[in-house]
Amino acid sequence: MFFIYGADGSRACDKAEFILFTLGHDYRHYVYGRDYTLNQLQKLVPGANSVPQIFLGAKYIGGIKELYEYLYQSEYNARQLGDKTGHGMLKGILNNMDENPKHHSDNPDKT
């Protein structure tokens, strides 16, 4: 299961949720200020000052860019093993999303 440490109103967090939902991955979205504090987030990810911060189980993935890379690599590996389900789905989803760098992460202090 994926865990998204995010914030309400964060476009990057919305993108992470959309991608995981669309691809059928289980996930839980924790909201800054309601479910966790910045201090708690920094205990999980020292120096973190933006959201989303994403984990797969206990494994730290990173932010939205790292999630893209992780999922691309996972899809590539599945294709190499002969799994044709969802071939190209992630690429299509990401190609249709706004890739403006200012939306790759959000500062939770500004929410």
Side-chain angles (χ1 to χ4, degrees), residues 9-30:
S10 163
R11 287 186 59 178
C13 294
D14 291 345
K15 287 179 184 182
E17 269 195 282
F18 175 78
I19 291 167
L20 293 173
F21 175 80
T22 302
L23 294 175
H25 292 287
D26 291 331
Y27 69 91
R28 171 120 192 226
H29 184 187
Y30 296 105

Side-chain angles (χ1 to χ4, degrees), residues 53-109:
Q53 297 295 326
I54 303 167
F55 290 80
L56 176 57
K59 178 183 178 181
Y60 178 63
I61 301 296
I64 190 74
K65 181 179 176 185
E66 292 80 12
L67 177 63
Y68 292 167
E69 292 167 358
Y70 177 84
L71 293 172
Y72 265 133
Q73 187 62 43
S74 295
E75 182 178 311
Y76 173 80
N77 289 340
R79 281 183 290 166
Q80 294 302 314
L81 295 172
D83 180 4
K84 302 296 183 193
T85 59
H87 175 70
M89 181 184 276
L90 179 62
K91 185 175 182 180
I93 291 168
L94 297 179
N95 284 340
N96 290 321
M97 297 179 86
D98 175 15
E99 287 297 312
N100 187 332
K102 73 178 183 178
H103 299 299
H104 285 304
S105 65
D106 296 300
N107 186 327
D109 286 333

Side-chain angles (χ1 to χ4, degrees), residues 42-57:
Q42 289 180 339
K43 286 181 182 178
L44 289 172
V45 184
N49 61 4
S50 63
V51 293
Q53 297 295 326
I54 303 167
F55 290 80
L56 176 57

